[in-house]
Amino acid sequence: MQLSRLFAIVAILVSLLSTSRAFAADDDAGAPADTSAQPGPAPEGSDARAPAPEGEADGGAPVAPEPGETTAPKSTSNITARASIDVGGYADSTATTVLTPSLSGTVESPTAGWAINGRYLVDVVSAASPDIVSTASPHWNEVRHAGNLGFRYKPKTFGVAANASTSYTPDYLSLSAGAQLTQELDDKNLTLVEGYGYGRDTIGRTGTPFSVFSHELEYHSISLGASRVVNQGLVIGLFGDAVLERGDQSKPYRYIPIFTPDVAATIPAGASASLVASSRMQARPLEQLPLERDRFAVTARLAWRGDSTTLRFEERGYTDSWGLRASTTDARYFIDLGRRVMIWPHGRFHVQNGVDFWKRAYSATSVHDLPALRTGDRELGPLFTAGGGGGLRIALGNAGALDDVAFTTTLDGFYTAFSDAIYVKERFSALVTTGLEVRF
Amino acid sequence: MTSRTLGNGALVTLVAFALSALPLAGCTHVKPWERGKLAHPTMAGPNLPGPAEEHVYSVQEGAVGGGASAESGCGCN
């Protein structure tokens, strides 16, 4: 809660700063036209958020502004800094709430091609497993701290980036690092990217030192991809990811109900906690997952820009060595409503089957005959999620530098159907985020 | 979700990939001074979702991947 207060104080200070800057600015009416070359949001890690140096691209040729834009004023410094504060709030029908405040910052030199960025966030989770909810037991609470640091350098057509991240809760420690190489070809109309990452997680129990009890999970990730400029307003890309996980990632709190074979066949999807409790065998072993998992994904991405709108579309196909296959579709359509305001609807659909060892109700004839692999993780079972919502971004900066201060908010709702799980058949969830970014 | 439905999902994925490859046949060589639209911030970067949104997806979905990016376009440096 101390951290929450700290975030609140920082948010208020940033809000006051942005408000004063906005009101000090000339009103748009009668003021010179916006000279910002980038009226939209600036996704982290994007080169495009950096202004084109003095109106020239790499080849020294003048860059034609979009209709309605004028030439940006010359900057006195080629180093820029940005800071942002974001707060996310999540709630769902299985009695889980998450508050996620975060702080992030970036210092970069667009002309020299380098940037350093970092983020720190906290997840304040209040949750209860569905069986606990059904018996009105109290929630459990958890606070997760996470941070990452990144660096990238791309002076010309070849670039390198590196990052490191960590996440900590009393029962889970995650450390990871990675690097990425980028090569632009064909006069920057074709870009190739390859990356490697390594991570190590330590999974334990709250109140028990990792040295006394813990599982280790290591993972290596490899990514390859390419994007291609199709024309003046269209970019497409194809990316592949492989993640090789080694270790025991079973949850040490997750107990699996076991039924005799004849009873297991009668347990319906969405069976209540009381039915499960009255039907299961005495034995209630912990979850046990395979010790290796190889995961593969291919993602196609499309970005199209019209006169005042942008379509972003993404389709991901996924498969892994546990037998889980999935398809995820995500689309956003950004609409400029003047120079200060942009809105976008957003849709997402995800569908997957279950892992090979998924069972709604695991069965055994005795405690000596328990299934070797067993899980109660609904996200490893068959499901689909459909979601939608939208976002709003308001540029609050001075005329001529509208994007020096920007406020962003999003609202999304999701419906998930679990077709073959006990306790829960469906879930409704909502996510609200707000963010304020200041550029110096 | 039945395996038949998932099969449909895989088919949709395949079709999407095929459709996304079609424009390659008509690629034009875009000059640096023709990149005004490509330089728009909404055109760049894979990380349109913020950290909270990404976390939700990582928890609610059994799949991973798709975070890599390679932009072609703005000619910012």
Side-chain angles (χ1 to χ4, degrees), chain A residues 312-329:
Chain A
R312 295 290 300 264
F313 178 84
E314 186 174 296
E315 172 63 36
R316 178 181 65 190
Y318 170 90
T319 186
D320 68 28
S321 60
W322 290 5
L324 195 151
R325 297 184 298 279
S327 168
T328 308
T329 306

Side-chain angles (χ1 to χ4, degrees), chain A residues 41 43 46-47 53 57 61-62 64 66 90 110 113 119 123 144 154 186-191 227 229-232 235-236 239 241 295 297-301 303 305 310 312 315-316 318 327 332 346 348 351-353 379 384 419 427 429 431, chain B residues 1 5-6 9 13 16-17 20 23-24 26-30 32-49 51-53 55-57 59-77:
Chain A
S46 161
D47 283 347
E66 286 192 69
Y90 170 89
R119 179 184 294 275
D123 275 333
R144 181 176 75 99
K154 188 169 76 66
D186 192 21
D187 202 15
K188 297 194 173 185
N189 283 274
L190 174 65
T191 303
S227 68
V229 173
V230 178
N231 58 41
Q232 296 176 20
V235 180
I236 60 173
F239 307 88
D241 296 275
R295 319 178 76 174
V298 177
T299 304
R301 194 174 290 140
R305 177 69 183 170
T310 301
R312 295 290 300 264
E315 172 63 36
R316 178 181 65 190
Y318 170 90
S327 168
R332 293 164 209 261
H346 169 224
R348 188 176 180 92
V351 60
Q352 67 181 54
N353 65 351
E379 275 69 32
F384 77 84
S419 61
R427 175 181 60 210
S429 57
L431 174 69
Chain B
M1 189 54 43
T5 306
L6 182 67
T13 301
F17 288 161
S20 66
L24 284 174
C27 283
T28 58
H29 191 90
V30 179
W33 56 88
E34 299 173 328
R35 297 173 181 267
K37 289 181 177 178
L38 298 174
H40 195 274
T42 55
M43 291 288 286
N47 298 324
L48 292 174
E53 188 176 341
H55 193 196
V56 168
Y57 299 148
V59 172
Q60 290 194 347
E61 300 170 356
V64 299
S69 72
E71 307 308 327
S72 278
C74 72
C76 296
N77 69 327

Side-chain angles (χ1 to χ4, degrees), chain A residues 185-252:
Chain A
L185 304 169
D186 192 21
D187 202 15
K188 297 194 173 185
N189 283 274
L190 174 65
T191 303
L192 306 179
V193 62
E194 55 269 357
Y196 169 78
Y198 171 78
R200 184 182 182 90
D201 293 359
T202 303
I203 307 165
R205 278 179 173 273
T206 299
T208 302
F210 288 135
S211 59
V212 176
F213 172 83
S214 64
H215 297 163
E216 297 290 340
L217 173 66
E218 287 186 309
Y219 42 96
H220 303 264
S221 62
I222 301 169
S223 59
L224 294 169
S227 68
R228 175 76 197 183
V229 173
V230 178
N231 58 41
Q232 296 176 20
L234 178 62
V235 180
I236 60 173
L238 192 63
F239 307 88
D241 296 275
V243 183
L244 310 180
E245 299 174 347
R246 297 292 181 268
D248 192 351
Q249 49 193 298
S250 309
K251 298 292 187 296

Side-chain angles (χ1 to χ4, degrees), chain A residues 101-141:
Chain A
S102 67
L103 289 170
S104 64
T106 301
V107 178
E108 67 180 341
S109 172
T111 52
W114 61 263
I116 300 172
N117 61 76
R119 179 184 294 275
Y120 170 69
L121 69 80
V122 177
D123 275 333
V124 183
V125 183
S126 175
S129 62
D131 50 336
I132 292 177
V133 172
S134 300
T135 54
S137 297
H139 287 196
W140 53 267
N141 298 288

Side-chain angles (χ1 to χ4, degrees), chain A residues 35 41 45 73 84 140 156 175 185 219 221 233 257 268-269 275-276 279 293 308 333 347 358 380 383 403 418 427 431:
Chain A
T35 55
S84 66
W140 53 267
K156 292 293 182 182
L175 300 169
L185 304 169
Y219 42 96
S221 62
L275 174 61
V276 171
S279 305
R293 189 180 193 185
S308 60
Y333 189 62
W358 174 263
L380 292 179
L383 63 84
D403 292 304
F418 303 98
R427 175 181 60 210
L431 174 69

